[in-house]
Amino acid sequence: MNLAKLNDIAAATKEKCKNKKRVCVCAGAACISSGAIQTLDSMKKIVKEKGLDKTVDVIPVGCIGACHQGPLVKILPDETIYQKITPAEAALIAEKHLAKNEVVKSLLFATGAGKESPVNSNETDFFKKQRKVVLETCGNINPESIEDYIAVGGYQALYNILSTLSQEEVIAEVKAGGLRGRGGAGFPTGLKWEMVHRYINSTKYVVCNGDEGDPGAFMDRSVLEGDPHRILEGMAIAGYAVGAQKGYIYVRAEYPLAIKRLETAIKQARVQGLLGDKIFETDFNFDIEIRIGAGAFVCGEETALLASIEGKRGTPRPRPPYPAESGLWGKPTLINNVETFANIPKLILIGGKEFASVGTQKSAGTKVFALAGKIMNTGLVEVPMGITLREIIFEIGGGIPGGKKFKAAQTGGPSGGCIPESHLDTPVDYESLGALGTIMGSGGMIIMDETSCMVDVARYFMDFCMNESCGKCVPCRVGTKQMFDLLNKICTGQGSPADLALLEELAPYVRETSLCGLGMTAPNPLMSTLRYFREEYMAHINDHWCPAGVCKMEPAAQLAEAHS
Amino acid sequence: MTPLAAPTTTILVTIDEKTYSADPGETILDVCKREGINIPTLCFLEGVSTVGACRLCLIEIEGTRKLLPACATVVAPFQKVKTNSDRLKKNRRMTLELLFSERNHICSVCVANYNCRLQDLAHEVGMDHVRFPYLFPDCNVDGTNKIYNIDHNRCIMCTKCVRTCDEVEGAHTWDVRGRGFESRIIADFDEAWGTSPTCTLCGKCVSVCPTGALWHKQSVQNNMKKSPEMVSELTAKRGRKG
C-alpha cells in the first residue's frame, strides 16, 4: 500500500457512487432486532426489480443514532431519515423517493409530536445540537467495506503520520488536542502515550478496551459495529507513536456483531497492507488480534482485562505499577478505550489545535452518550463537551414521555451517581460531573422519572456491583454484599436509622479501601442518591412508605397495629 | 525493560515521622518488617507472589489520595508514609468486621483456636464485636482427602494456599471459582480434594492457611498449629522472594 493506491481506492469508490442515491439501512444491533435485515433485503429486491440499481446503492450501515425509531433508513445525499420502516414501507420509499424524488412525509423521522418533520434529518431536534467526530461516518458507510472507509478519508491520518511525523510529534499532536480517556476516568491520552513511549528497547503492546459493561451503555458497541476501521486506524497510529508492533482488541462476547465486523475489518486491512509488515512501505509493522471476553464486568478494569488477555482469571491487581510500565506479560502497554482510539484519526487529520477548539478548556472534543430509560428519544448521541444536561435530555432527547416529571439522570452506570433536576444546567465535562458526585463514565446516561424510587435504584446498582465483584479484596467482596443487604432491608420496610448509619459508614470505607475501580466506585450510586434524595430513604425508614410507589411494603400504621 | 532514572542507590523514606534507608525495589512492608514497625497483614506471605487483596496493610502516603497496600508498594525517594493513623485503624477494624461477618468464624469450636491469624489480628486492631448480620453462606466441608480437610466455612479467600500450591509446590491443585461473595477455593476443576490427581499431599497449603479452613485430620479443637514460615524459609533457600 502506498499513497497513490490509497487515493486510487478512494477515487474508484467515489466514482462508483457518483450521481447515485445511497440508501443506508441501519444494521446496528438495535435496528436488526426490530427487523432491519428484512427491510434491507426487501429494499435491495425492490430497487433491483424496479431497475433503480443504476442510480441507487442499497447498503447496510452502522448505528444512525435514533435507536428508538428503528429500523431506520437514511437516504444520502439528501440526509433524509425514515423511521420504523417495514419491508412494505421500503417499497413505498423506493417507489416515491428513489424513483420520483418525492419525500414520503408520513414516514419521516420525527422527534416531537405535532411538529412537521424536516426533510433533512440534520435539522431535527435530535441531530441539530449534535457534533459528530467519533460517529462522523458511522451510519453513512458500510462497516464491512474498507473501500467505503477509505473513500471518506480513512487511513489518510495513518499515512500522514508515517510519512511526515516522528513518534514524538504524534504524541505532541495528541497532547495539543487535549484528548482525555473516554473510558470514563479522563486521564490525558497524550500523557499516557508518552509514558509508554519513554520505555526503550522493550516489546510493547497497544490494547483497546471494548469491554463495555455498564447497564444501558452501547457507545463502544455502536462504534465497533458501525465503523470498525476507525478503531484499527487509531490503534495503528497509537502503535507507531508508542513503538508497539502488536495490538489487542478486547471485546465482550455479548457483542457478536462487533466481533464479526472487526474480524472482517482486520482481514481487509491486512489484505490492503494497512496492517501487518511494512505499512505504507515504511519500516512500521503493526498487527491486531481480537480477544473475546467471557462476560465479567470487572474485565473492563485495565489490569483485570490484561490478566484476561494473558489467559488468567480476570482479577485486578494493585497499581502502581501501571500498565504503561508493566502491562501485558510485564511489558509496557498502552490501554485506551474504543472511543478514545476512534477520536485519533480525526484528531491527526485536523490537528490538535483544531480538535481542541470543540468542547471546554479542560475537556476537549465531543462525547458519545447512550440515552436510555425514561426518555423520548433513546439512542446514541454525540455532543460537544460543555453542553448542559438539560440540552441533552430535553432538546436532543426530547424530554420525558407520558407527561411525567424528570427526577434524575444516572451517568457512569453502576460506578457513577445520579444528577437531580436542580443540577440540570451543569455543563457536561469531567470536572463538573465529578463535583456533583458522579463521573463522566464511558457514556451511559439513564434517565429516571417520578415513577423511579431512588432507594430501589441504589439497590439495583449495588446488586449489580455485588454480582460483578471478582471477590479478590475484602471491602468489595463483603462490603457490597452487606450494603446490598442493608439497602434491601430499607426497600422492604425493615430498615432502621441504625441501618442507615451503618450504610453511611460502610460506603466511604469501601470507596477508600477497595483494590480496583469497581469497588472504589460501587458506593457512588448509594452515596449520590443519599446526597440528593435523602428524604426518600427517610420515608422508607420512618414511614414505611415508598414515595414513588415502587417498593412494596406494609404501611407504618398497619405495622404498628399488627404489633400492638 | 529499561525504566528511566531507576534509582540505584539507597533511598531515604520517612515512616511515621522517622527516617529510614531502603534499597531500591524494596516494598514499604519490607522496610517496616526490618525496622520493627508493625503493619497488620493477612494475605501477604513471604516467598510467594503478592496480591494486595486483604487491604489490611493499607498505608497513607503524603501527596497520594489513594491508600496503598504496603506489601505491593515499592519505596520511592523521600516518601512520607503513615502506617497507623486513626483513619487506617478504623479501616482495619472494619475490614476484620466484614471478614468475621462473612463466613463461620466461631473460635470456640475451631481447630485453629489460639493459633489463628484472623483471631490474632482481631485482637491486634481491637475488633471486639461485629455490627453486621452474619451472612453464613452455604459452604461445605471437604473431607475426602486422606490426610487433610478443607472447611470452606472458615476460609477467608486470602489465596495463600492457591499461590503456594502453584508457585512453591508447582502442583496448582488449588484455584478460585465463581466471583464476589460466591467465590470459593476449588481443587482442580471443582472436584473432591481426595480425587485430585494433581495434589501431592505435601501439606504446604495447610501450613500457610491463616485460619482453620485447612487442617490436619488428626487435629482436634484448639491444636492445629500453622507454620507459614516453613514455606518462606523454603523459598528463601531456593533463592527467590515474592
Side-chain angles (χ1 to χ4, degrees):
Chain A
M1 177 60 76
N2 54 37
L3 183 63
K5 276 190 203 157
L6 193 72
N7 288 337
D8 284 350
I9 295 176
T13 315
K14 278 185 195 154
E15 184 63 34
K16 246 190 354 199
C17 313
K18 216 168 140 189
N19 301 326
K20 268 185 165 179
K21 275 202 196 299
R22 231 172 136 90
V23 179
C24 305
V25 181
C26 182
C31 282
I32 288 180
S33 65
S34 46
I37 297 301
Q38 288 84 330
T39 305
L40 176 69
D41 291 344
S42 124
M43 187 65 99
K44 275 187 179 159
K45 206 172 120 212
I46 294 157
V47 164
K48 207 157 184 197
E49 274 172 18
K50 292 195 181 293
L52 291 166
D53 43 349
K54 295 266 176 344
T55 55
V56 173
D57 277 334
V58 181
I59 55 163
V61 296
C63 185
I64 292 174
C67 306
H68 61 305
Q69 300 291 37
L72 294 164
V73 173
K74 185 174 182 181
I75 316 279
L76 294 177
D78 311 356
E79 297 280 351
T80 307
I81 296 181
Y82 292 109
Q83 66 183 22
K84 295 191 175 161
I85 300 305
T86 58
E89 287 163 342
L92 188 66
I93 292 171
E95 208 169 291
K96 296 248 171 119
H97 195 144
L98 300 178
K100 300 181 199 154
N101 228 355
E102 278 171 29
V103 173
V104 190
K105 287 220 164 119
S106 60
L107 297 177
L108 275 181
F109 169 61
T111 45
K115 275 189 279 179
E116 196 173 321
S117 317
V119 175
N120 183 335
S121 62
N122 291 331
E123 289 162 14
T124 57
D125 291 340
F126 185 73
F127 288 105
K128 213 164 43 188
K129 284 212 165 176
Q130 292 197 43
R131 175 107 187 211
K132 306 245 179 177
V133 173
V134 171
L135 304 174
E136 194 187 12
T137 50
C138 182
N140 293 344
I141 61 169
N142 182 350
E144 301 198 3
S145 157
I146 192 169
E147 290 82 9
D148 266 23
Y149 182 64
I150 292 173
V152 293
Y155 291 104
Q156 196 73 45
L158 180 60
Y159 172 78
N160 289 358
I161 58 144
L162 289 180
S163 58
T164 55
L165 297 184
S166 69
Q167 293 176 314
E168 289 81 2
E169 283 167 333
V170 178
I171 292 170
E173 206 58 54
V174 175
K175 274 182 152 177
L179 179 62
R180 293 172 65 175
R182 296 291 192 251
F187 191 81
T189 306
L191 200 61
K192 205 184 230 181
W193 288 25
E194 191 173 61
M195 280 155 64
V196 182
H197 172 74
R198 276 199 322 216
Y199 291 92
I200 41 173
N201 297 334
S202 171
T203 309
K204 298 178 203 177
Y205 297 99
V206 170
V207 175
C208 174
N209 184 344
D211 193 62
E212 181 174 61
D214 289 359
F218 46 91
M219 303 75 53
D220 295 351
R221 170 184 207 154
S222 299
V223 179
L224 290 169
E225 288 175 359
D227 205 355
H229 283 285
R230 190 172 289 268
I231 318 293
L232 303 187
E233 187 180 1
M235 286 179 74
I237 293 170
Y240 172 75
V242 303
Q245 300 198 337
K246 179 96 200 190
Y248 289 93
I249 304 182
Y250 190 91
V251 194
R252 57 199 301 231
E254 290 88 338
Y255 290 175
L257 187 63
I259 294 164
K260 187 181 141 241
R261 292 200 176 142
L262 269 175
E263 278 169 351
T264 311
I266 290 172
K267 263 186 224 152
Q268 290 169 340
R270 281 185 192 146
V271 169
Q272 296 289 357
L274 293 162
L275 283 179
D277 290 347
K278 301 219 175 287
I279 296 172
F280 278 115
E281 295 169 5
T282 63
D283 287 335
F284 175 57
N285 307 330
F286 191 74
D287 204 3
I288 294 175
E289 260 182 59
I290 300 175
R291 284 286 184 277
I292 299 168
F297 176 69
V298 74
C299 285
E301 197 279 341
E302 56 182 20
T303 57
L305 186 149
L306 295 175
S308 179
I309 291 182
E310 289 175 13
K312 297 177 186 150
R313 183 176 155 89
T315 55
R317 60 159 178 77
R319 299 176 304 176
Y322 287 89
E325 182 187 344
S326 173
L328 214 46
W329 292 292
K331 305 291 185 192
T333 302
L334 172 73
I335 172 160
N336 277 143
N337 172 263
V338 167
E339 197 184 327
T340 312
F341 281 123
N343 268 295
I344 295 296
K346 182 78 174 176
L347 188 154
I348 296 291
L349 276 184
I350 63 175
K353 223 175 127 196
E354 177 71 25
F355 183 87
S357 69
V358 177
T360 66
Q361 205 187 350
K362 277 189 169 170
S363 306
T366 59
K367 179 79 194 78
V368 183
F369 283 102
L371 299 181
K374 307 278 178 58
I375 188 160
M376 287 294 285
N377 307 329
T378 48
L380 198 69
V381 300
E382 183 169 4
V383 290
M385 294 273 196
I387 193 172
T388 64
L389 282 158
R390 194 182 294 280
E391 286 171 279
I392 298 181
I393 297 165
F394 288 93
E395 295 183 30
I396 298 172
I400 315 297
K404 296 266 172 36
K405 212 170 148 280
F406 170 86
K407 191 181 228 176
Q410 174 93 10
T411 62
S415 317
C418 66
I419 301 160
E421 184 157 24
S422 53
H423 291 285
L424 271 183
D425 291 307
T426 310
V428 170
D429 62 61
Y430 292 98
E431 278 74 24
S432 304
L433 291 181
L436 290 182
T438 178
I439 56 167
M440 174 77 82
S442 59
M445 192 179 282
I446 299 166
I447 315 299
M448 289 165 276
D449 68 10
E450 56 194 332
T451 61
S452 305
C453 164
M454 298 316 283
V455 187
D456 181 57
V457 166
R459 177 177 65 169
Y460 168 81
F461 283 118
M462 194 58 77
D463 186 29
F464 182 88
C465 290
M466 174 182 81
N467 288 323
E468 293 297 340
S469 164
C470 75
K472 183 170 176 176
C473 76
V474 182
C476 181
R477 181 179 78 229
V478 195
T480 54
K481 167 75 179 156
Q482 290 286 10
M483 283 193 286
F484 172 77
D485 285 355
L486 288 167
L487 281 168
N488 203 27
K489 237 174 128 182
I490 296 176
C491 281
T492 49
Q494 326 275 313
S496 67
D499 291 328
L500 189 62
L502 213 47
L503 265 178
E504 287 189 291
E505 198 183 326
L506 200 47
Y509 157 82
V510 172
R511 168 143 93 184
E512 197 169 85
T513 54
S514 288
L515 171 62
C516 82
L518 195 161
M520 283 178 199
T521 58
N524 281 356
L526 164 66
M527 288 168 95
S528 80
T529 49
L530 260 175
R531 181 170 163 185
Y532 298 117
F533 299 96
R534 197 180 180 87
E535 70 284 355
E536 287 195 25
Y537 282 84
M538 295 326 289
H540 282 77
I541 292 169
N542 293 337
D543 309 330
H544 304 273
W545 173 60
C546 175
V550 174
C551 307
K552 299 277 169 274
M553 55 181 96
E554 299 281 304
Q558 287 179 14
L559 269 183
E561 223 168 88
H563 289 295
S564 63
Chain B
M1 188 167 65
T2 327
L4 288 191
T8 48
T9 49
T10 304
I11 294 172
L12 290 181
V13 283
T14 307
I15 301 174
D16 295 335
E17 286 166 13
K18 275 188 172 170
T19 304
Y20 303 92
S21 59
D23 292 328
E26 272 190 311
T27 64
I28 292 166
L29 186 63
D30 290 334
V31 180
C32 288
K33 280 194 160 174
R34 191 176 59 229
E35 303 293 348
I37 303 163
N38 180 40
I39 296 182
T41 59
L42 189 51
C43 68
F44 177 81
L45 176 63
E46 186 90 48
V48 298
S49 58
T50 307
V51 287
C54 73
R55 315 310 279 171
L56 278 171
C57 73
L58 288 181
I59 42 127
E60 289 182 66
I61 295 179
E62 205 178 271
T64 310
R65 235 173 351 131
K66 261 190 353 183
L67 302 178
L68 293 168
C71 63
T73 306
V74 175
V75 289
F78 309 114
Q79 223 165 25
K80 287 206 174 99
V81 180
K82 273 192 206 161
T83 68
N84 219 3
S85 67
D86 286 344
R87 177 186 175 199
L88 295 173
K89 282 190 206 161
K90 202 168 154 243
N91 284 346
R92 285 171 191 156
R93 269 201 300 276
M94 183 72 102
T95 302
L96 280 160
E97 227 180 301
L98 289 177
L99 273 175
F100 272 93
S101 79
E102 190 185 11
R103 296 192 190 176
N104 186 333
H105 298 291
I106 297 170
C107 301
S108 56
V109 292
C110 179
V111 283
N113 193 13
Y114 303 119
N115 298 305
C116 172
R117 182 80 186 131
L118 186 67
Q119 191 182 41
D120 292 349
L121 280 168
H123 279 291
E124 197 180 312
V125 307
M127 200 288 301
D128 48 16
H129 66 290
V130 176
R131 292 168 298 165
F132 297 98
Y134 291 104
L135 300 171
F136 297 141
D138 190 11
C139 295
N140 64 347
V141 181
D142 182 349
T144 54
N145 188 294
K146 55 186 171 196
I147 317 176
Y148 313 109
N149 284 340
I150 180 165
D151 181 353
H152 294 281
N153 294 293
R154 290 173 185 150
C155 172
I156 53 168
M157 300 299 295
C158 70
T159 68
K160 278 182 186 175
C161 55
V162 176
R163 286 173 281 154
T164 304
C165 184
D166 176 43
E167 297 168 23
V168 183
E169 178 63 9
H172 201 135
T173 301
W174 296 120
D175 213 320
V176 182
R177 77 140 160 85
R179 52 171 103 139
F181 178 64
E182 308 286 325
S183 49
R184 301 282 183 275
I185 300 293
I186 50 166
D188 293 326
F189 293 109
D190 203 1
E191 291 155 69
W193 190 7
T195 63
S196 166
T198 58
C199 177
T200 61
L201 300 175
C202 75
K204 290 190 189 73
C205 53
V206 180
S207 318
V208 299
C209 176
T211 69
L214 282 161
W215 85 95
H216 209 282
K217 275 207 155 88
Q218 289 161 347
S219 39
V220 291
Q221 191 185 332
N222 300 359
N223 83 346
M224 176 71 216
K225 283 205 172 58
K226 302 294 179 110
S227 48
E229 53 300 328
M230 180 266 274
V231 166
S232 302
E233 278 162 23
L234 184 67
T235 51
K237 277 179 195 152
R238 289 186 193 170
R240 60 178 277 194
K241 180 185 161 289

